[in-house]
Amino acid sequence: VQLVESGGGLVQPGGSLRLSCATSGFSLALYAIGWFRQAPGREREEIACISSSGGRTFYDHSAKGRFTITRDNARNAVYLQMNSLEPEDTAVYYCTAKMYSGYYCPTEYDYWGQGTQVTVSS
């Protein structure tokens, strides 16, 4: 099982980034996917998740209206489009996976990527 994030980098406030999570070693269509982030000195927080079918998405209040989580099961990939980025969004972003068909986000995940750094600064 492998999850590999990409697409992070340095962006100015107000800018956008699209993070990708490439998956392999499991049937993505059976898994709920979450995006987490961890800023220096802060606890890791879940900012978005998407159901295995892609029909349901949930967002933390900090991400709602600015971030969009999508998935392409045929390409074994999940994405996080981030718009209107703020310095407070600076963190390492992780994608996670759990075999799960419940309505809401899983309370814990089984697999994690290595993370990609997002830095929002002028």
Side-chain angles (χ1 to χ4, degrees):
V1 173
Q2 194 170 22
L3 297 91
V4 179
E5 302 92 338
S6 62
L10 174 64
V11 63
Q12 291 187 341
S16 298
L17 282 175
R18 187 194 194 207
L19 305 184
S20 298
C21 175
T23 72
S24 61
F26 62 100
S27 179
L28 180 61
L30 299 179
Y31 284 71
I33 301 295
W35 280 98
F36 283 70
R37 68 184 180 187
Q38 187 165 22
R42 300 188 64 176
E43 292 188 357
R44 189 166 54 192
E45 60 178 349
E46 185 171 18
I47 55 173
C49 76
I50 188 167
S51 64
S52 55
S53 68
R56 296 185 300 274
T57 57
F58 297 92
Y59 298 92
D60 178 75
H61 67 90
S62 64
K64 196 171 294 184
R66 299 188 301 130
F67 295 1
T68 303
I69 185 171
T70 58
R71 64 191 295 156
D72 185 339
N73 289 342
R75 295 180 182 270
N76 294 314
V78 182
Y79 308 99
L80 185 68
Q81 177 68 42
M82 305 189 296
N83 299 328
S84 303
L85 285 162
E86 304 166 350
E88 293 73 24
D89 297 314
T90 296
V92 178
Y93 285 70
Y94 301 88
C95 65
T96 65
K98 181 178 178 66
M99 184 182 290
Y100 185 78
S101 59
Y103 186 85
Y104 295 105
C105 299
T107 55
E108 59 183 11
Y109 290 84
D110 296 324
Y111 305 113
W112 292 77
Q114 84 291 346
T116 186
Q117 176 71 47
V118 171
T119 302
V120 185
S121 176
S122 55

